[in-house]
Amino acid sequence: MAYFSQVFPARLRFTGVSIGFTVGLIAGSAFSPDIATYLLHTTGGWVGIAVYMAAMSAVSVVAGLFLREVDDTTAPPSDPASHVADGDTAQVR
């Protein structure tokens, strides 16, 4: 989860992680019992379910390999008071 949060810039981090986690959880988990039941009835044993789980694990590993950290240039200034000292007004966003 820590690496996943580094994929989004700071201003989008919470939204990106929460949407990504929720959609991934729903898409990855919602249909798994139905798929496992179908595989059990189709193949007659647990081997089909094991192959399905291994395939989904491989998909997760490949997806993780494609994640890249962003260069977060939206970091706040190290000394925010220096802008106010120049006569600028401070704005809260």
Side-chain angles (χ1 to χ4, degrees):
M1 189 61 120
Y3 181 75
F4 194 54
S5 66
Q6 296 293 323
V7 175
F8 300 98
R11 62 186 180 88
L12 299 174
R13 189 161 292 151
F14 181 77
T15 304
V17 169
S18 63
I19 290 174
F21 179 76
T22 304
V23 169
L25 186 66
I26 291 170
S29 301
F31 303 110
S32 293
D34 293 330
I35 294 170
T37 303
Y38 173 77
L39 291 171
L40 181 64
H41 288 291
T42 302
T43 62
W46 59 270
V47 176
I49 298 171
V51 170
Y52 168 71
M53 292 175 64
M56 292 301 106
S57 297
V59 168
S60 296
V61 168
V62 169
L65 292 174
F66 280 103
L67 288 176
R68 298 290 179 247
E69 289 187 35
V70 294
D71 182 22
D72 196 7
T73 58
T74 60
S78 60
D79 185 19
S82 65
H83 298 292
V84 178
D86 294 335
D88 294 338
T89 57
Q91 296 180 2
V92 177
R93 294 184 188 190

